Amino acid sequence: MKKLISSLLLSFVVYALQAQIKDPVKFKTEFNTLSDTEAEIVFTAAIDKGWHVYSTELGDGGPISATFNVDKTSGIELLGKLKPVGKEVATFDKLFEMKVRYFENTAKFIQKVKLTGGAYEIEGYLEYGACDDESCLPPTQVPFHFSGKAEGDFSKEFVAAPQSGTQPAPQQATVKTVTDTASVATIGGADGTTGINVSDGEIDLWKPVINELQSLGEEHSQDDMSWIYIFITGFLGGLLALFTPCVWPIIPMTVSFFLKRSKDKKKGIRDAWTYGASIVVIYVTLGLAITAIFGASALNALSTNAVFNILFCLMLIVFAASFFGAFEITLPSKWSNAVDSKAESTGGLISIFLMAFTLSLVSFSCTGPIIGFLLVQVSTTGSVVAPAIGMLGFAIALALPFTLFALFPSWLKSMPKSGGWMNIIKVTLGFLELAFALKFLSVADLAYGWRILDRETFLALWIVLFALLGFYLLGKIKFPHDDDDTKVSVPRFFMALASLAFAVYMVPGLWGAPLKAVSAFAPPMQTQDFNLYNNEVHAKFDDYDLGMEYARQHGKPVMLDFTGYGCVNCRKMELAVWTNPKVSDIINNDYVLITLYVDNKTPLPSPVKILENGTERTLRTVGDKWSYLQRVKFGANAQPFYVLIDNEGKPLNKSYSYDEDIPKYIEFLQTGLENYKKEK
């Protein structure tokens, strides 16, 4: 982008110094009717000697690509993308430091359109860039406006199946779609354009293969997180919340209250159990309520929403500043006072429940970030019960000490008192919250393609944060509420050692080291500008139909990788499994890898109406399209999801989800190859 801006500024300066305005490119536009339902808009350019006009889809950081832009349209639909026609010159441009494609002398671009019947109108412009050996034109527009009347109303339909937990026989789903007749989409290791033209054929690549997967041993739809994993994650979050200043001091006071309020020790213990159960009920209800309000799929979409992730990032930064001692965050005192007074005025189970609710309110400043992070992490499963299971683990860990200390009151005497150690934990949590804040900002950055927080930038910030945490634990950095104790305890020393060692561990990542320990949090390797590591796996395509056509032409099976920018386990698989030399060799040489991001926020050329499970839905983004493909064709909706298919879209092996067992993954790939060869 910097190169692009620099070149444009240079161009403007050059033109400002010249006495005449150059007009080296002259375009004419035509509207050619191909049939009653199809037409094409043709842009033909005459180019002065020494000048050249750049082609389409050159990528970021380069010259201005030719693009087709619509301001107003009715009775007409776009078919595919803008197609360059003619002799392209492909060369490495030293100014932009990248491979570019352009036309000399003459250029032609064609945009196909579909006439839906009756009156039609389309208005917009072609934008292009042109340069000679000394200067470049600023982005130039060629306006067009066509209108008329046509006959015909053809909609493409194909058969699809809705997703179901039991995976029944496929049902029909009617889809109005746009056919990419001449588009080219490549990422990663693809070398330039492939020149693939995808056209309608007899093979329906979107046909459901759920029954075929079952016959190969598919037992259930894939989840990127098991319920056990979610429960354990929640439980660990609850244990962490225990040692915060908001919760720890409340434990002895609450347990003592229950044991003293009744002379009957058994009743006190029973009340403490009830108190713990109330905590579990409150947090599980919260998890279910969040899912009921937003829905599992909405939570999944929300996890990569830019506004949500930025707000959550800011929230974590604010909480971190509070933990550092900048200010104190508390809920309005009247809330907790009202609940507390209500608990005192009532008796029995209701009063105990209200006391548990009071704990939930007063501890919000410490538990809020942990709960929020937990819910965001489990939202990517797409499961309705996942948030509830996570909150169950969290609540059990939080409620456990209240019941245990009630059962064994003598333990209260040996319980460590609140003090400086708790403040150390509080500040440590502040550093961790800053680190996780960068994770949420990174998710939004990746989903929308902003490229603000590339991998090396992310790692540099993490290195600094964990180095500063290590220095804090060694007493080299102090915050407003820290005491002046110069002694460093043994636990603090070991925590500092771990933090500093972790910071040093991440340093090689600045030059491309895989860093498997942080693969779940750091942006993908492909976002790194300077990379010395050469054992990576890059997808050839990020478009299903184009990749399938390429595989058919080259006689190779296909590996579909349904992934997401916000998918933690996807990054783990890519850096822990795909970097294995044997795995990378098989994927790169024996398969055509197609990576489909289900949370890609790039808008489709036009919204697509689909009928799924009897409900009409609208696909608005590229991610919506690939998520729909995963659901209707394979009966799954979680990531990572790997499936091997032949050139007709039929599975070659049962699917594979998150499992870092490298021999198992190699067997998965080799079995697919063997089955593909048998078909030949």
Side-chain angles (χ1 to χ4, degrees):
M1 183 58 69
K2 292 181 179 177
K3 300 170 196 170
L4 176 59
I5 294 172
S6 300
S7 65
L8 292 176
L9 289 175
L10 178 63
S11 303
F12 291 137
V13 170
V14 171
Y15 275 87
L17 296 175
Q18 294 179 351
Q20 60 180 8
I21 299 176
K22 293 182 178 180
D23 187 20
V25 183
K26 298 176 179 62
F27 268 97
K28 71 173 182 178
T29 61
E30 297 175 289
F31 188 90
N32 298 331
T33 302
L34 304 178
S35 67
D36 291 340
T37 60
E38 200 169 283
E40 60 182 14
I41 302 174
V42 182
F43 303 88
T44 306
I47 309 170
D48 290 352
K49 187 176 181 180
W51 285 81
H52 50 262
V53 173
Y54 291 103
S55 188
T56 60
E57 300 181 331
L58 300 182
D60 296 332
I64 304 298
S65 301
T67 58
F68 185 86
N69 305 272
V70 177
D71 294 327
K72 182 172 65 175
T73 180
S74 63
I76 197 168
E77 296 177 357
L78 302 184
L79 291 177
K81 298 180 181 179
L82 185 68
K83 179 183 178 181
V85 178
K87 185 180 179 181
E88 288 186 344
V89 178
T91 184
F92 185 85
D93 193 297
K94 294 182 179 179
L95 174 63
F96 296 103
E97 297 181 352
M98 62 181 290
K99 189 176 181 180
V100 300
R101 294 173 288 108
Y102 57 81
F103 295 92
E104 295 179 329
N105 301 319
T106 184
K108 181 181 286 188
F109 301 96
I110 297 176
Q111 174 64 60
K112 287 190 175 182
V113 296
K114 177 180 165 182
L115 308 177
T116 59
Y120 66 84
E121 183 181 14
I122 184 168
E123 183 177 357
Y125 61 91
L126 171 77
E127 187 175 79
Y128 71 93
C131 292
D132 64 1
D133 295 334
E134 298 178 353
S135 60
C136 295
L137 292 176
T140 308
Q141 297 180 357
V142 182
F144 65 85
H145 182 206
F146 300 105
S147 60
K149 189 174 182 179
E151 301 292 332
D153 187 6
F154 290 41
S155 300
K156 182 180 176 178
E157 297 184 353
F158 64 89
V159 177
Q163 181 192 5
S164 174
T166 59
Q167 298 177 346
Q171 302 176 9
Q172 287 191 345
T174 303
V175 181
K176 285 186 179 181
T177 186
V178 177
T179 305
D180 293 336
T181 58
S183 57
V184 177
T186 62
I187 62 172
D191 297 326
T193 57
T194 61
I196 296 173
N197 296 325
V198 179
S199 58
D200 295 337
E202 297 181 357
I203 300 174
D204 186 1
L205 297 175
W206 286 63
K207 183 179 179 181
V209 292
I210 300 172
N211 293 335
E212 288 85 345
L213 282 172
Q214 288 179 333
S215 65
L216 291 168
E218 191 87 358
E219 297 178 355
H220 51 76
S221 61
Q222 306 296 321
D223 292 321
D224 66 338
M225 294 183 190
S226 68
W227 287 0
I228 296 176
Y229 177 84
I230 294 170
F231 178 84
I232 293 174
T233 303
F235 189 84
L236 293 175
L239 290 179
L240 185 62
L242 278 177
F243 296 98
T244 60
C246 310
V247 179
W248 187 262
I250 299 176
I251 297 174
M253 293 187 297
T254 305
V255 174
S256 299
F257 170 77
F258 284 125
L259 295 176
K260 292 177 181 178
R261 74 181 289 188
S262 176
K263 295 180 180 180
D264 188 355
K265 184 179 179 182
K266 291 183 178 180
K267 188 176 184 302
I269 294 173
R270 188 169 60 249
D271 288 346
W273 273 103
T274 305
Y275 183 77
S278 298
I279 294 174
V280 174
V281 170
I282 289 170
Y283 283 104
V284 171
T285 303
L286 176 63
L288 291 172
I290 290 173
T291 307
I293 294 170
F294 295 101
S297 58
L299 278 174
N300 194 1
L302 199 64
S303 67
T304 54
N305 180 271
V307 176
F308 173 79
N309 277 276
I310 291 173
L311 287 177
F312 206 83
C313 169
L314 293 175
M315 186 191 78
L316 289 177
I317 293 173
V318 170
F319 274 105
S322 174
F323 285 176
F324 292 154
F327 47 82
E328 197 70 31
I329 297 178
T330 57
L331 289 175
S333 57
K334 62 180 182 180
W335 291 10
S336 56
N337 291 338
V339 177
D340 200 28
S341 62
K342 189 69 175 176
E344 293 179 358
S345 62
T346 56
L349 296 177
I350 297 177
S351 68
I352 296 174
F353 181 83
L354 290 173
M355 287 183 64
F357 195 70
T358 303
L359 169 69
S360 304
L361 288 176
V362 299
S363 63
F364 173 77
S365 61
C366 295
T367 60
I370 300 173
I371 293 172
F373 183 78
L374 172 65
L375 290 175
V376 171
Q377 289 299 105
V378 303
S379 67
T380 56
T381 63
S383 171
V384 175
V385 298
I389 293 174
M391 295 302 285
L392 176 64
F394 179 89
I396 289 176
L398 199 63
L400 199 59
F402 293 95
T403 52
L404 287 177
F405 283 122
L407 290 172
F408 308 99
S410 59
W411 289 5
L412 287 171
K413 297 179 181 180
S414 60
M415 180 178 174
K417 306 299 181 186
S418 303
W421 68 272
M422 188 161 288
N423 187 63
I424 294 171
I425 293 178
K426 192 175 181 180
V427 173
T428 302
L429 284 176
F431 277 104
L432 294 177
E433 287 183 351
L434 283 181
F436 286 126
L438 292 172
K439 162 65 178 174
F440 288 103
L441 180 60
S442 173
V443 170
D445 180 59
L446 290 168
Y448 288 86
W450 298 331
R451 299 299 300 269
I452 301 173
L453 204 61
D454 288 347
R455 188 173 185 266
E456 62 266 41
T457 307
F458 181 94
L459 290 176
L461 291 170
W462 265 39
I463 291 169
V464 172
L465 279 174
F466 283 95
L468 289 175
L469 174 58
F471 291 135
Y472 168 78
L473 293 170
L474 291 174
K476 303 301 181 182
I477 301 174
K478 292 187 181 296
F479 289 96
H481 43 42
D482 287 319
D483 54 35
D484 295 327
D485 187 10
T486 57
K487 295 182 180 179
V488 178
S489 65
V490 174
R492 281 184 68 175
F493 173 78
F494 281 107
M495 289 173 64
L497 180 64
S499 184
L500 291 171
F502 185 58
V504 174
Y505 163 79
M506 290 187 288
V507 170
L510 298 174
W511 293 275
L515 302 182
K516 297 179 182 179
V518 299
S519 59
F521 305 99
M525 192 81 75
Q526 65 196 45
T527 65
Q528 186 145 340
D529 295 326
F530 184 66
N531 189 358
L532 298 178
Y533 190 74
N534 56 12
N535 197 30
E536 301 173 27
V537 174
H538 290 295
K540 282 188 171 70
F541 293 89
D542 62 353
D543 185 281
Y544 174 65
D545 297 293
L546 293 173
M548 290 296 295
E549 180 64 16
Y550 178 90
R552 185 190 65 81
Q553 293 178 5
H554 290 78
K556 287 186 175 184
V558 171
M559 175 176 165
L560 290 181
D561 165 32
F562 289 95
T563 184
Y565 294 114
C567 175
V568 170
N569 288 339
C570 301
R571 303 291 87 78
K572 288 182 179 179
M573 290 293 293
E574 291 163 8
L575 290 178
V577 179
W578 285 12
T579 53
N580 177 271
K582 191 168 184 178
V583 173
S584 62
D585 181 68
I586 296 174
I587 296 176
N588 287 328
N589 298 321
D590 298 327
Y591 283 94
V592 174
L593 176 60
I594 305 175
T595 292
L596 305 174
Y597 284 89
V598 299
D599 54 3
N600 188 335
K601 303 301 182 183
T602 303
L604 292 171
S606 59
V608 179
K609 298 282 187 183
I610 58 102
L611 188 65
E612 185 179 9
N613 288 336
T615 304
E616 186 178 272
R617 304 179 186 273
T618 303
L619 310 179
R620 293 183 172 85
T621 66
V622 173
D624 292 342
K625 181 179 178 182
W626 303 141
S627 181
Y628 178 71
L629 171 66
Q630 186 184 4
R631 295 196 307 271
V632 302
K633 187 172 179 67
F634 305 107
N637 69 341
Q639 298 78 45
F641 183 83
Y642 309 107
V643 62
L644 311 175
I645 59 177
D646 61 17
N647 302 131
E648 296 183 358
K650 299 177 181 178
L652 298 169
N653 196 1
K654 61 181 179 181
S655 65
Y656 197 100
S657 58
Y658 174 67
D659 189 343
E660 296 184 24
D661 188 336
I662 293 176
K664 185 178 178 181
Y665 199 81
I666 292 173
E667 183 184 359
F668 162 72
L669 296 172
Q670 290 177 336
T671 301
L673 282 176
E674 292 171 1
N675 291 334
Y676 182 79
K677 291 175 181 177
K678 289 178 183 178
E679 292 182 357
K680 296 290 186 181

